[in-house]
Amino acid sequence: MSVVVLGVGGGIAAYKACLLARLLSEVGHEVHVVPTRAALEFVGRPTWEALSGHPVHTEVFDDVPDVEHIRLAERADAIVVAPATADLLARLAGGHADDLLTTTVLATSAPVLLAPAMHTGMWQNAATVDNVATLRRHGLVVKAPATGRLTGRDSGPGRLPDPDEIAEFVDLLITVPECAAAMAQQDLAGKRVVISLGGTREAIDPVRYLGNSSSGRMGRAIAQVAAARGADVHVVAAHVDVAIPSDVQITRIDSTEDLAEAMDDLAKQADIVIQAVAAADFAPVAVDTKIKKHEGDDATGATMALQLHQTPDVLARICSQSVQNRIVVGFAAETAPDRDQFLKLAQAKLARKGCDLMVVNDVSGGKVFGKVGTDVTMVHQQGPGRRITGSKSQAAVAILDEVRALLATQ
């Protein structure tokens, strides 16, 4: 069981931290809530104690015999502060230790994730910008806020991301603590990343379609991690079963033809293209009216033939574009009787498409698609590379690490 310290700043978004505490507890973490004095004006101590199952303190002198700030700092596998207000960011950036939360953060060696929430003007203020830069320089991970409706009538960047999105990052920092450095350093800052994800739907008639089992989870994880590492991320989303990250641009598409059109333009402007979408290789020759079923007593068992046409090879089209110093990553789902044959298929596809890196899933027997975990192998022009098993967020970190290494060789 991992120990997570949940710090809560004094902002209206503190109510969302209640759900975050519940989510973290439900997946098996031992959660200790440390609110600021101001946070208790929004959500009371009994609520935090009921959700976490632990006593809640705000001051260093609340539990002197246990030296609470050192005990929590040493036991924590991760510390997450949500919401992190402008005032709290300023105090942390200045190395203040004037309450239990700031003292605990100052004393810990565990990864620290800050999820800011405040008015747009405060987030964009030069003082806050400087404080965020300082915190990142000190190794803390600062997740950019979501854009949307704020308190009152205003909208803009400053919303606290959804609790489930924050919880995923907490799990990532616990399972892959070394990724905190890349996020703090913003090692993909200034890079334009285009990621396609989900599964296309190919119309049969106005009410039916052919689709596939892709959930979009892998592409979503890559988009989350890339944005957290400072990249400017644009997602091209086909049908997905998950929410798109709050800090990326989105273009929605349905079919492989739509995908080709969107990627033709976006890929030319990108430094990194990651084609994680499950695009159909064939699509029905669609009709404009609904196909009627056979009626009557003798209709049971009647058959219908679908005529299919081959769709554009979007990945190959992207790779054929004349764009300098761009990294293109393809994804492939393969079935094979054994690993040797699986790797041969992957290597052949990499050579055929012409991309810099191919990430291959073995989907034999229904593996991977729609699952939380994954098992993928990265394949280079020189041969098979690293095999990655674990969560899709862990795979996303490894894939982007590989992309970063490829960029460094250009």
Side-chain angles (χ1 to χ4, degrees), residues 56-125:
V56 168
H57 305 295
T58 61
E59 308 298 337
V60 175
F61 295 106
D62 284 347
D63 192 4
V64 174
D66 280 346
V67 195
E68 185 76 351
H69 62 289
I70 300 300
R71 185 180 69 86
L72 286 175
E74 291 178 344
R75 291 193 63 218
D77 294 292
I79 295 178
V80 54
V81 181
T85 61
D87 174 70
L88 188 49
L89 293 177
R91 289 194 287 132
L92 290 170
H96 288 205
D98 51 5
D99 62 9
L100 184 58
L101 178 55
T102 54
T103 308
T104 302
V105 171
L106 198 63
T108 195
S109 60
V112 178
L113 170 65
L114 305 177
M118 64 197 71
H119 188 271
T120 301
M122 299 173 73
W123 172 246
Q124 295 176 342
N125 186 280

Side-chain angles (χ1 to χ4, degrees), residues 344-375:
K344 286 179 182 177
L345 289 171
Q347 206 73 46
K349 181 162 283 191
L350 174 74
R352 235 176 17 252
K353 304 295 184 181
C355 49
D356 301 286
L357 180 69
M358 185 72 76
V359 182
V360 192
N361 296 285
D362 182 355
V363 295
S364 304
K367 301 174 187 172
V368 179
F369 270 142
K371 306 293 192 301
V372 175
T374 193
D375 180 352

